[in-house]
Amino acid sequence: MRVRRLAAWTALPLAVTLGLVACGSGGDGGSGESNPDAAVRIEIAEPQHLVPTNTNETSGSQVLAALFSPLVDYDEANKPYEMAAESVTSEDNTTWTVKLKDGYTFHNGEKVTADNYVDAWNYGAYAPNGQNSSYFFEKIAGYEDVQGETPKAKTLSGLKKVDDLTFTVTLSQPYSEFKTMLGYTAFYPMPKAAFSAPGVLAEGYEQAPVGQGPFKMKGTWQHDAKVEVEKYDAFPGEKPKVAGVEFRIYQQPTAAYADVLSDNLDVIKTVPTENLSTAGTDLGDRFKQSSASSLQVLAFPTFQKEFSNPDVRKAISMAIDRDEITKSIFKDSQQPARSFVSPVVAGYRDNTIGEAGEFDPAKAKSLYQAAGGPARIELSYNGDGGHKDWIDATCNQLKTNLGVDCVGTAEPKFADLLTKVKAKQPVGLFRMGWVMDYPSMENYLGPLYSSNGSSNYYGYSNPEFDKLVAEGTSAASEEEAVKKYQAAEDLLAEDLPVIPLRYGQNNFGHSTKVTNVEMDLFDRIDLLKIEAVK
Amino acid sequence: MFRFVLRRLLQMVLAFFGTTLIVYALMFAGQGDPIQALAGERPVTAAQRAYLTEKFHLDRTGVGGFFYRYFDYLKNLLQGDLGQSLTGRSIGDILAAAWPVTVKLALIAMAVTILFGVTAGVLAGIRRASIFDNSTLLLTLLVLGIPTIVLAPLAQYLLGVKWQLFPATAGADPDLYALLLPGIVLGSLSLATALRLTRTSVAENLRADYVRTARSKGLVKRRIVSVHVLRNSLIPVVTFLGVELGNLMSGAIITEGVFNIPGVGFNLFRGIRTEDGPLVVGIVSVLVVVYLVSNLVVDVLYAVLDPRIRYE
């Protein structure tokens, strides 16, 4: 009697569950052919902003890449070629003439003209507008005048409209790779409708950005939920193979991963680290990897006496077994690095640090002792980024191979670490990562190691290096520029202000409902290639 | 009864100011460099820094700066303006979007707790030491022992991904069915507590003198249990459930994250992670109000259930 009652109690919730299941799963069958009328669902995080000059994170860039078409895009070899531009030319690398292709229209029907570029860039560069990507315009003449709390000018003197489809950009110094920069998000145009008055962004533009790209907004940006876009029929360029894209917003990648496994989501851009070891079996050939532009390094505060001798730095580099750590800790989701620039840019050479990149414990130890390296090494990192495992492994290797005492010190956030480094507090070695803004060697060298580079936290200063980078940026041709950059990189290899450790890699996956999923160097899914199957 | 409620309301005002002050002070003290935190590992331009510093009075530091910012915040709050998060979105809008889905989730969790927890608790209390009693005790022990951070992904993997009984995540505009699994997960923890609380309470009251009196007067068992025992047994349970409602509103951080539900907990988590002071303080202020109101409701219910309390 009692047992039967118990059975009844267990059966009730089960019956309720099953009943609901029956209601829930309504038929979707599939035939397996490409379906141009279907929309695909792609995972992103909540974008911070959806204004071209204010967007510098990958989620926002992914959405804007659907809504806008850049002046130039990059080919297989990561060289720029014209997209919305008819031509981008310069004779002296200082004054650049941009001719636009005819036939582009904004999604509200406005024709795209040179004014739209000039207005958008002026808006982005003007300091009081507080745009995140403002610094992308710093090479353009007149940038200094629009900086500060009360700038001298409202517009960049280097931007001039020639006719409806042509404008010129004058740089303050010659820069041979200006064309390469133009593929970045900050250089999209904005329609007249985006501004309520000259230089004032219209309220609500960000909620439904109007662009000139292959997709247009469907409704408005639904914060924390999704951004939906649909095919823009009047787009003159290459047409997408899907009817639309739903960018679905996730706070945690694990949730997105579960959705891809159950076909509720089509593309996850980053498979969470905890799922990397099983992703191959979970997704099969739907788990994909492609090269990314990021570079992870261990940096030296070269201003500190104990690390000022390059031999000490070289010895530490030789005592680290990169291949082993990449394999055991990162499960080959990253690649070992032995150069200062990423393989994705033109001019990359394999193994530029030479001997310092070889794992040779015996030699490392004798070199370290001869150079008088410190008996205790500290490795600082940010605790919120999942770096503990590899830092600890590195420490263990240094302990074993150099016979030193090594500790990993976690700072709560990367910002806290940078604050300490900027104040020149003794943090020991610290981790750094770099993701490129545009595919050029210069982007991996100039900001990081120039004496006044924006991200030079190492106190590294080498006048010869500065000179070579400057000569590279003003070189007449790209080939010549690359030569100068390579010479500059060789100097770094001798001085070793940082130890290159690993190149990043995109680890992404997709559902059974899409094919041709490809990811570019900016962590974006190629929306013109992706196809839906049904 | 009126005086009782009025006194409670006045206490609420004091509690509100006290808690917001503490939360604001904690956020203020714990803040490193919120502008850099917002940008993550990317560099922040001088222009951007100056813009945000001025907008959020971040240059006001120290004790004087703290009170300046706190009173500035309070002034806006009393005008019904929660301000803007560091990303520039109105916190009022964020909450307006997050609130409904969290309330729905909390209600489902609550329903699960009451439906299964209280009912099973009453049954277990009536049949002490039966198979049913022992098996529920064992089950609750198991559920109490598994933290949500394990239970939620496990339920998602097994029921959502592997057997596909439920959708793996709920999303921003979920239907009742999609919210069911996260609701059950969220409710399971308070379910176990509610069950044990009810069981003990019922079991104790069944042995009370008034039950013996009622029985000797010849009342049928059903009437004794449903009218006399239940009313008295529910006092501790109602207290628990009231406080739990507040917990469910805020405590859904893990569940909302795992099932991708952009509710209040989800936003609170993001605010803390990005050191978005205005967002965290805004959400917590509203949560304080929720707690205070649910406590008030508990107190009133308490007074309804037990007349001795309102004449105190």
Side-chain angles (χ1 to χ4, degrees):
Chain A
M1 166 80 190
R2 272 199 178 141
V3 176
R4 206 178 299 153
R5 284 270 169 91
L6 175 64
W9 273 99
T10 1
L12 180 67
L14 253 175
V16 172
T17 315
L18 290 176
L20 284 165
V21 169
C23 312
S25 54
D28 41 21
S31 63
E33 284 161 26
S34 176
N35 180 2
D37 301 323
V40 293
R41 301 155 299 177
I42 297 176
E43 167 249 353
I44 56 169
E46 165 85 356
Q48 284 181 359
H49 294 282
L50 286 183
V51 173
T53 49
N54 210 6
T55 299
N56 60 358
E57 36 77 42
T58 52
S59 297
S61 309
Q62 174 76 69
V63 174
L64 291 181
L67 298 172
F68 290 87
S69 177
L71 284 170
V72 301
D73 203 352
Y74 309 103
D75 61 15
E76 312 268 281
N78 294 310
K79 298 248 182 183
Y81 70 93
E82 285 78 2
M83 281 282 278
E86 179 73 51
S87 67
V88 180
T89 51
S90 172
E91 304 205 323
D92 53 1
N93 286 333
T94 308
T95 305
W96 291 79
T97 308
V98 181
K99 270 196 174 40
L100 303 173
K101 275 185 191 148
D102 204 1
Y104 273 80
T105 50
F106 283 104
H107 304 148
N108 60 0
E110 272 181 50
K111 200 171 145 35
V112 180
T113 67
D115 280 328
N116 300 122
Y117 285 90
V118 174
D119 290 350
W121 298 5
N122 277 328
Y123 175 79
Y126 189 62
N129 291 332
Q131 299 291 292
N132 277 318
S133 299
S134 172
Y135 63 96
F136 275 94
F137 304 101
E138 68 189 0
K139 290 198 162 67
I140 300 174
Y143 180 75
E144 293 304 317
D145 293 339
V146 296
Q147 295 306 295
E149 269 177 49
T150 43
K152 277 185 258 169
K154 287 210 93 172
T155 54
L156 292 163
S157 62
L159 293 179
K160 291 260 162 25
K161 176 189 177 182
V162 177
D163 59 50
D164 262 5
L165 291 176
T166 318
F167 65 102
T168 60
V169 187
T170 309
L171 308 180
S172 44
Q173 280 170 33
Y175 182 48
S176 54
E177 287 163 294
F178 181 67
K179 186 176 168 184
T180 307
M181 282 184 80
L182 293 179
Y184 193 72
T185 313
F187 296 97
Y188 292 138
M190 281 199 273
K192 293 262 180 254
F195 300 98
S196 53
V200 182
L201 197 70
E203 202 153 315
Y205 174 76
E206 191 168 22
Q207 304 310 315
V210 175
Q212 32 69 287
F215 294 94
K216 62 178 182 195
M217 286 292 289
K218 190 172 161 189
T220 55
W221 173 7
Q222 288 164 274
H223 289 274
D224 295 329
K226 60 184 173 182
V227 183
E228 270 185 289
V229 299
E230 59 189 349
K231 202 152 131 184
Y232 176 54
D233 291 325
F235 182 67
E238 189 191 340
K239 300 264 195 306
K241 298 179 179 68
V242 289
V245 182
E246 179 189 336
F247 296 104
R248 213 182 272 176
I249 296 169
Y250 286 83
Q251 177 92 330
Q252 289 186 358
T254 43
Y257 187 69
D259 265 352
V260 168
L261 288 186
S262 46
D263 269 356
N264 284 325
L265 173 78
D266 292 326
V267 182
I268 176 166
K269 287 166 64 185
T270 311
V271 172
T273 329
E274 53 263 52
N275 298 108
L276 273 177
S277 50
T278 58
T281 39
D282 288 347
L283 292 168
D285 57 2
R286 291 181 285 121
F287 172 55
K288 300 219 160 145
Q289 297 185 309
S290 71
S291 38
S293 71
S294 68
L295 173 66
Q296 290 281 346
V297 302
L298 261 182
F300 290 98
T302 58
F303 47 84
Q304 276 181 33
K305 212 172 78 218
E306 59 263 51
F307 298 117
S308 59
N309 183 350
D311 277 347
V312 172
R313 312 203 279 253
K314 193 175 162 192
I316 293 177
S317 174
M318 288 173 78
I320 298 173
D321 190 351
R322 294 168 173 69
D323 300 324
E324 171 60 27
I325 290 180
T326 315
K327 200 169 182 172
S328 60
I329 308 241
F330 291 94
K331 314 276 177 227
D332 291 324
S333 64
Q334 301 196 2
Q335 295 303 321
R338 291 183 174 87
S339 296
F340 293 91
V341 300
S342 157
V344 302
V345 296
Y348 160 80
R349 292 162 301 159
D350 196 18
N351 202 8
T352 51
I353 59 171
E355 199 188 12
E358 284 165 27
F359 175 58
D360 189 341
K363 206 164 175 190
K365 194 166 184 178
S366 59
L367 185 65
Y368 192 76
Q369 281 163 351
R376 185 175 183 277
I377 294 178
E378 196 182 348
L379 303 182
S380 290
Y381 62 101
N382 48 314
D384 64 345
H387 297 294
K388 190 180 186 313
D389 288 349
W390 74 262
I391 289 278
D392 286 348
T394 310
C395 249
N396 281 333
Q397 292 187 348
L398 293 182
K399 270 186 210 162
T400 323
N401 302 333
L402 291 181
V404 294
D405 185 21
C406 180
V407 283
T409 315
E411 295 288 336
K413 280 173 190 297
F414 193 62
D416 302 315
L417 180 60
L418 287 188
T419 314
K420 282 198 170 176
V421 175
K422 267 188 236 166
K424 294 206 184 333
Q425 287 177 12
V427 294
L429 274 71
F430 54 96
R431 75 150 280 270
M432 275 281 283
W434 187 253
V435 179
M436 71 177 185
D437 297 318
Y438 42 89
S440 156
M441 274 187 87
E442 188 267 340
N443 196 239
Y444 283 91
L445 303 174
L448 288 166
Y449 314 107
S450 298
S451 301
N452 55 358
S454 58
S455 298
N456 180 352
Y457 298 106
Y458 335 110
Y460 178 73
S461 177
N462 184 339
E464 184 66 11
F465 175 85
D466 293 352
K467 200 175 125 232
L468 283 168
V469 171
E471 282 173 5
T473 49
S474 56
S477 71
E478 245 179 274
E479 290 71 34
E480 211 175 302
V482 162
K483 268 191 200 127
K484 296 284 182 194
Y485 295 146
Q486 289 181 339
E489 193 189 354
D490 290 339
L491 285 182
L492 286 184
E494 282 168 33
D495 290 343
L496 223 62
V498 306
I499 307 176
L501 291 178
R502 294 179 308 278
Y503 300 120
Q505 193 167 283
N506 297 319
N507 301 292
F508 57 107
H510 63 87
S511 73
T512 56
K513 294 184 173 171
V514 289
T515 54
N516 284 340
V517 183
E518 280 178 34
M519 203 162 198
D520 69 11
L521 296 174
F522 300 95
D523 200 18
R524 298 184 303 214
I525 299 295
D526 194 330
L527 300 172
L528 294 178
K529 292 214 176 101
I530 193 168
E531 283 179 62
V533 283
K534 207 147 203 193
Chain B
M1 191 70 179
F2 173 74
R3 278 186 54 186
F4 174 76
V5 174
L6 191 73
R7 203 170 64 217
R8 288 281 163 191
L9 280 173
L10 286 176
Q11 283 171 359
M12 269 171 70
V13 176
L14 272 181
F16 178 75
F17 284 114
T19 40
T20 49
L21 180 70
I22 292 170
V23 170
Y24 205 84
L26 284 176
M27 205 57 216
F28 190 88
Q31 227 165 28
D33 182 353
I35 298 175
Q36 182 63 55
L38 185 71
E41 304 199 357
R42 285 168 288 113
V44 188
T45 61
Q48 183 72 3
R49 185 170 282 279
Y51 172 80
L52 286 172
T53 303
E54 202 212 311
K55 195 165 165 192
F56 293 99
H57 307 297
L58 291 176
D59 47 346
R60 301 260 182 177
T61 51
V63 178
F66 166 69
F67 280 102
Y68 176 86
R69 280 161 66 178
Y70 177 65
F71 284 118
D72 186 54
Y73 161 75
L74 266 192
K75 197 179 76 199
N76 288 329
L77 189 67
L78 292 179
Q79 291 163 352
D81 178 11
L82 284 165
Q84 282 189 344
S85 83
L86 283 184
T87 52
R89 272 179 72 198
S90 147
I91 294 172
D93 287 352
I94 295 181
L95 278 176
W99 211 239
V101 65
T102 297
V103 170
K104 264 189 234 163
L105 187 63
L107 287 181
I108 292 181
M110 205 56 155
V112 169
T113 307
I114 294 174
L115 203 67
F116 294 104
V118 177
T119 322
V122 171
L123 285 177
I126 295 173
R127 299 150 193 233
R128 247 168 316 150
S130 67
I131 295 176
F132 181 77
D133 185 23
N134 287 329
S135 53
T136 49
L137 276 183
L138 203 72
L139 265 176
T140 52
L141 203 67
L142 202 70
V143 173
L144 280 174
I146 307 175
T148 323
I149 200 151
V150 176
L151 187 65
L154 195 70
Q156 180 185 51
Y157 179 70
L158 290 179
L159 297 170
V161 176
K162 198 140 188 232
W163 301 325
Q164 311 236 342
L165 294 177
F166 292 92
T169 64
D173 190 21
D175 51 11
L176 190 68
Y177 173 60
L179 275 179
L180 207 60
L181 184 60
I184 291 173
V185 167
L186 189 60
S188 66
L189 201 72
S190 41
L191 183 147
T193 318
L195 194 154
R196 295 192 142 199
L197 210 59
T198 318
R199 176 196 172 272
T200 320
S201 186
V202 167
E204 225 163 66
N205 277 321
L206 274 176
R207 266 177 287 175
D209 290 344
Y210 69 89
V211 173
R212 206 170 342 135
T213 314
R215 211 177 274 146
S216 59
K217 268 166 54 185
L219 283 183
V220 289
K221 193 175 177 193
R222 182 189 292 159
R223 190 167 165 80
I224 297 173
V225 171
S226 63
V227 176
H228 299 274
V229 174
L230 219 50
R231 182 168 173 156
N232 285 313
S233 307
L234 280 183
I235 292 177
V237 178
V238 164
T239 318
F240 168 73
L241 290 179
V243 176
E244 201 57 22
L245 186 68
N247 268 339
L248 290 178
M249 296 278 181
S250 59
I253 291 183
I254 294 166
T255 316
E256 288 188 355
V258 169
F259 292 98
N260 196 41
I261 303 166
V264 175
F266 182 97
N267 276 293
L268 189 59
F269 175 67
R270 176 173 54 202
I272 292 170
R273 206 185 49 184
T274 57
E275 287 183 31
D276 196 332
L279 182 61
V280 173
V281 176
I283 292 178
V284 174
S285 307
V286 177
L287 283 176
V288 166
V289 174
V290 172
Y291 259 97
L292 290 173
V293 171
S294 57
N295 266 319
L296 178 77
V297 173
V298 168
D299 283 348
V300 171
L301 272 181
Y302 215 102
V304 170
L305 285 172
D306 188 346
R308 281 171 300 177
I309 290 165
R310 65 185 107 132
Y311 298 120
E312 226 174 51

